[in-house]
Amino acid sequence: MSDTSLAHFNLNDWLHENPYTNGTLAEELQCYGLPYGGIGFASHVLTYYTIIMLSYQRSPLMPWKRNHHKWIDITLTIFGLVASTTLAVLTILRCRNRWQFVAMATWKLILSVTFGILSFHAAMMVQPKEKYQYSGLGHLESTANAIENKEYTKVLWWLLLYVPGVVAGLSGLLSLVFKEIGHNAHVKIITEVFGTVIAFSAVLMLIFGIIGMCSRGGSREKEANNSSMENLGKSTVAIGVMVFLVAGSATSILAALYSDWILGAIAGNLVGLPSGDVTLLYWGYIVAKRLPFLSF
């Protein structure tokens, strides 16, 4: 938007006078003010990286350092959460005439909420700098115990909130794919690549699961009592659950990355550079999502 248009900008008109209706998917996609294409892909990768770093109390910008500015991190997280969820809601309202775009924007909204809550929890667990300094032969006892007991990584449980978003987003995404795959070569190629990666990952995890169960079964082979059989059963269930969770996590991650490229292919804009009256919304969302990245 130009400075002149910004001066006369009316949010209500912008939301309700959407010119991108009853056109092609590429034309209607202009209502979508959230990252996609290569830029969206990079944004998702940075989000996943930030989650991993924060779950270990590391600064995403300087991973060799531990976070120790609790209130700065909390402030960054709150601003990022409020801004990103607000911008996602505006996109949902703007694209309300195409349910697939609404479903995918809801996916991003739930990711923003999940990421914000996880980041806030991680910030609340930040300890003062002196807690991480050496004392004698090692870290102070409280820090050592927290690391040993995986206390910090408990924030990853918040990722369960993301599951409904994945389900909703995939319903919209797959509907778009079915509409476009017959005549859009880029959509077809991207689907084939990601389908191959997901299938290969699933087979690989299945093989590891079978190997794990067989190895545990072999270690119990010489024990024929009921107790050993019960332990074997528990181990088998545990491995099965672990394989299922890993497979679900991998699918969720790959699905988000897949959606970025599919939207880019539909828009005819694989880079994902925004244009028109959603440019500020687009870049604003990216900046808001990156605020927890500045935690230190």
Side-chain angles (χ1 to χ4, degrees), residues 72-234:
I72 293 178
D73 294 353
I74 289 175
T75 301
L76 288 171
T77 295
I78 291 175
F79 274 106
L81 175 60
V82 172
S84 62
T85 53
T86 300
L87 296 175
V89 169
L90 288 177
T91 294
I92 291 172
L93 295 174
R94 178 72 159 163
C95 295
R96 63 190 177 278
N97 293 313
R98 172 68 67 171
W99 74 265
Q100 292 95 334
F101 296 155
V102 171
M104 296 189 69
T106 301
W107 187 1
K108 297 289 182 70
L109 172 63
I110 294 177
L111 174 59
S112 296
V113 172
T114 301
F115 181 47
I117 294 175
L118 185 151
S119 301
F120 181 82
H121 188 180
M124 289 294 292
M125 297 173 71
V126 168
Q127 300 292 327
K129 186 174 182 179
E130 58 269 16
K131 290 284 187 179
Y132 297 123
Q133 294 177 343
Y134 283 90
S135 175
L137 298 176
H139 287 93
L140 294 180
E141 185 178 355
S142 61
T143 302
N145 289 340
I147 296 171
E148 181 181 354
N149 297 329
K150 304 292 184 182
E151 178 183 339
Y152 298 135
T153 56
K154 289 179 180 178
V155 300
L156 294 176
W157 284 105
W158 288 111
L159 292 176
L160 291 175
L161 292 176
Y162 184 45
V163 175
V166 174
V167 175
L170 279 176
S171 66
L173 175 63
L174 294 178
S175 175
L176 292 176
V177 170
F178 291 144
K179 288 176 180 291
E180 290 284 307
I181 198 167
H183 60 271
N184 190 319
H186 285 144
V187 169
K188 184 177 180 180
I189 293 171
I190 292 167
T191 300
E192 289 173 347
V193 170
F194 274 88
T196 301
V197 171
I198 291 174
F200 177 77
S201 301
V203 171
L204 198 61
M205 283 183 283
L206 181 61
I207 291 173
F208 279 126
I210 293 173
I211 292 174
M213 285 186 283
C214 289
S215 63
R216 286 183 177 272
S219 67
R220 298 286 194 271
E221 217 170 25
K222 296 182 181 179
E223 302 177 23
N225 55 55
N226 293 333
S227 177
S228 66
M229 294 303 294
E230 182 181 350
N231 291 335
L232 176 60
K234 290 180 179 179

Side-chain angles (χ1 to χ4, degrees), residues 56-59 64-68 132 147 152 296:
Y56 283 94
Q57 290 291 295
R58 295 283 180 175
S59 167
W64 59 90
K65 292 185 177 182
R66 292 192 177 277
N67 292 340
H68 53 78
Y132 297 123
I147 296 171
Y152 298 135
F296 67 104

